[in-house]
Amino acid sequence: MINKRKVLALITARAGSKGIPGKNIKFLAGRPLIVWTIAAARQSHYVDRLIISSDGTDIIRIAEEYGCEAPFVRPAALAQDDSSSMDVIEHALANLSEHFDYLLLLQPTSPFRTGDDIDCFLDYCIENDADIAVSVSKLKKHPMYMYRIENDRLVSFLDNGNVQLRRQDMPPAYEHNGALYFARIDRLLHERSFNTTVTMPYITEGVINLDIDTPEDWDYAELIASRMGSHL
């Protein structure tokens, strides 16, 4: 509990993965990818219950072996490429008889988030009276330098009026890094999104920002894990 309120940690992990087949149970530095997230959540001092939403029998089996509950199997209709994350969350909440105040959403693709990271994030959310908060990282390349191609020509995504701004004059830009999502459950069910006018940013730095989406990301994760060595 935190601030006398109950915290549900939900790991979402479907079986289908086109970029990296079997990604969630593929071994990273000696243990399945999903186990990294389970271990971090179990180290948290605030998480009251840890569950997984998955349609994969192997994912569920491994999750349970490492101390994560699997109180239901996610329906196939909610495990498609275009399935809504909010539908998955609502399905999970509807299948629990226990009441929780806060939701902590954790994605297995952020393996280097730790139990301390989780607790510091939750402390931040409570201290700042956040209804909804997400972890973000600072963009290395500012959106002002991003383009699309139209008729074989580069066209800026942002209309800057052809004004050439210096990098140091631009306000910092941030993106969701996928590591940490927090919400007061009643507010989230009302908003049906983590992207709202009240969403608070939690800025993170370092390896926690790695979100594994491509084979190149996986190679980088293996490099990081090998360098962490005995600290795993």
Side-chain angles (χ1 to χ4, degrees), residues 20 23 28 33 108-112 210-214 217-218 221:
I20 306 175
K23 175 173 60 179
L28 175 65
L33 180 65
T109 48
S110 299
F112 301 122
L210 177 61
D211 181 16
I212 299 177
D213 185 51
T214 66
D217 294 333
W218 186 275

Side-chain angles (χ1 to χ4, degrees), residues 8 10-14 51-55 72-96 103 105-107 188-189 192 194:
L8 172 69
L10 171 64
I11 299 175
T12 54
R14 69 187 184 96
I51 69 170
I52 187 170
S53 171
S54 181
D55 61 316
F72 52 80
V73 176
R74 191 195 302 186
L78 297 180
Q80 306 304 310
D81 290 343
D82 58 352
S83 295
S84 161
S85 59
M86 269 309 306
D87 287 344
V88 172
I89 291 169
E90 289 176 340
H91 173 266
L93 294 174
N95 280 273
L96 298 176
L103 175 72
L105 181 66
L106 301 172
Q107 300 183 143
L188 181 63
L189 293 177
R192 299 201 81 252
F194 284 95

Side-chain angles (χ1 to χ4, degrees), residues 101-104 130-133 181-185 187-188 194:
D101 302 286
Y102 300 129
L103 175 72
L104 174 69
D131 283 347
I132 299 175
Y181 295 85
F182 166 90
R184 203 181 75 199
I185 290 176
R187 185 61 183 264
L188 181 63
F194 284 95

